[in-house]
Amino acid sequence: MTQTRLDDDGLSLDRIGIYAILLGLVVFYLLPLEAGIVTSFKTMRAYGQTAPFLPALGGFTVAQWSSAVDQLSAGLFNSVLMAVPATVFSALLGSMTAYGLTNIDWRGQVGVYVLFVAGIFVPYQAVLVPLKRFWSQWAPLHIWLEPIWNLTGLGTDYAGLLALTITHIAYGIPICTLLFRSYYKSVSDEMVEAARLDGASIRRIYRRIILPLSVPMFAVTLIYQFTQIWNDLLFALIIVGPGDASVITQSLIGIGQSEAVTNFPLQMAAAFVTALPTLLVYIFFGEQFAKGVTA
């Protein structure tokens, strides 16, 4: 009788059990996030007197966030200056490359595509030494572009930031090409053939047909690339190094630490300030991201 009544109401014991398990998994997954947010609004004294996931009503403060923003502002500016063009250009060049490998027939395109795929699996650690030598000896941007650094007043440290931007563009092209090529395989060949019969050039077909249809996949690649580039630390340490051009992940190193004590609330606030731009990207492009994934 109880089972029947539950079924009539749209619930069953099995479904209640599933909901309970899912709720438990959500709590388990979000508890560290909640603990980090709560900790970031505590004073050091309140942090030592309360559990990490419990708010301290008597020790609530936003000073940790203010201090984090002050200490990370320069790195935040440099990361935006580097990540935005690196993301846009890697996605755009990946789209063009995928178009050339999908909608244009030419000899050797399969071999070139294999090379692009192989580039995805080259680990960062394998290229650190030649990459460092390339930018310091073979392509010294701090010397080649010295008039620009003097004219803008940025200083030669920003040559490393430009080198880092170019590196992320080059490293992002293979994965962007793979994503766009898979997407372009689903594009109707009839539209492209009709445009060719009408006399449209390769550039015109891409600009007028392929590019407008690529908006959902651009959302996917932009979100993916921006997240990867924004969170990168290894290339930044090797190419940029310490200085005025340090990105935000470098600025996080050592924040809130001293010989006497570690300021965990400040570290939590700094971590959330660093993660905020990627969260905003997901919020603004989330709908297009879902369309691109399911396309």
Side-chain angles (χ1 to χ4, degrees):
M1 180 66 68
T2 303
Q3 182 69 36
T4 302
R5 185 178 296 110
L6 288 173
D7 290 336
D8 293 339
D9 294 337
L11 293 175
S12 66
L13 294 179
D14 292 340
R15 182 169 296 182
I16 292 175
I18 293 175
Y19 288 159
I21 293 174
L22 292 176
L23 181 61
L25 291 175
V26 169
V27 172
F28 178 78
Y29 180 79
L30 293 180
L31 188 59
L33 180 63
E34 185 270 345
I37 294 176
V38 170
T39 299
S40 66
F41 288 103
K42 292 180 180 180
T43 62
M44 279 296 295
R45 182 176 181 180
Y47 171 77
Q49 295 176 347
T50 59
F53 53 87
L54 294 179
L57 300 179
F60 180 86
T61 180
V62 296
Q64 309 293 359
W65 284 79
S66 177
S67 178
V69 171
D70 290 340
Q71 296 186 45
L72 297 177
S73 57
L76 182 64
F77 171 78
N78 294 333
S79 287
V80 172
L81 198 63
M82 176 271 300
V84 172
T87 300
V88 172
F89 280 105
S90 61
L92 185 60
L93 292 175
S95 172
M96 293 179 179
T97 305
Y99 172 66
L101 293 173
T102 307
N103 299 99
I104 304 174
D105 294 328
W106 48 280
R107 182 177 299 178
Q109 67 182 54
V110 176
V112 173
Y113 176 67
V114 171
L115 291 177
F116 273 104
V117 174
I120 300 174
F121 300 98
V122 178
Y124 284 11
Q125 293 81 358
V127 300
L128 291 181
V129 174
L131 190 63
K132 179 64 176 180
R133 292 189 61 185
F134 176 82
W135 289 119
S136 60
Q137 299 179 15
W138 302 335
L141 298 181
H142 60 285
I143 298 177
W144 291 357
L145 303 178
E146 185 175 1
I148 296 179
W149 310 129
N150 295 333
L151 181 64
T152 58
L154 293 176
T156 56
D157 284 347
Y158 281 86
L161 193 65
L162 177 59
L164 180 63
T165 303
I166 298 173
T167 300
H168 279 302
I169 292 174
Y171 232 88
I173 290 176
I175 183 62
C176 291
T177 300
L178 181 64
L179 292 173
F180 275 107
R181 187 176 186 274
S182 301
Y183 183 74
Y184 290 159
K185 282 291 186 180
S186 63
V187 175
S188 174
D189 294 333
E190 286 75 9
M191 289 190 299
V192 177
E193 290 299 328
R196 288 174 180 171
L197 292 176
D198 290 339
S201 64
I202 293 175
R203 294 180 180 178
R204 190 178 182 87
I205 292 174
Y206 175 78
R207 188 174 64 252
R208 294 296 182 88
I209 298 177
I210 301 298
L211 196 59
L213 293 175
S214 306
V215 173
M217 186 50 63
F218 265 105
V220 174
T221 54
L222 288 174
I223 290 176
Y224 176 81
Q225 276 296 97
F226 184 82
T227 303
Q228 296 296 316
I229 294 172
W230 186 269
N231 292 330
D232 171 69
L233 175 61
L234 186 59
F235 277 168
L237 287 175
I238 298 300
I239 299 176
V240 179
D244 295 335
S246 297
V247 296
I248 194 167
T249 49
Q250 294 175 270
S251 302
L252 275 176
I253 301 175
I255 192 170
Q257 293 183 350
S258 64
E259 295 181 359
V261 67
T262 300
N263 191 337
F264 288 105
L266 176 59
Q267 289 183 340
M268 290 294 100
F272 284 110
V273 169
T274 303
L276 185 59
T278 56
L279 177 62
L280 294 177
V281 168
Y282 274 97
I283 292 175
F284 287 119
F285 294 97
E287 183 177 354
Q288 293 295 333
F289 179 83
K291 292 180 180 180
V293 171
T294 56

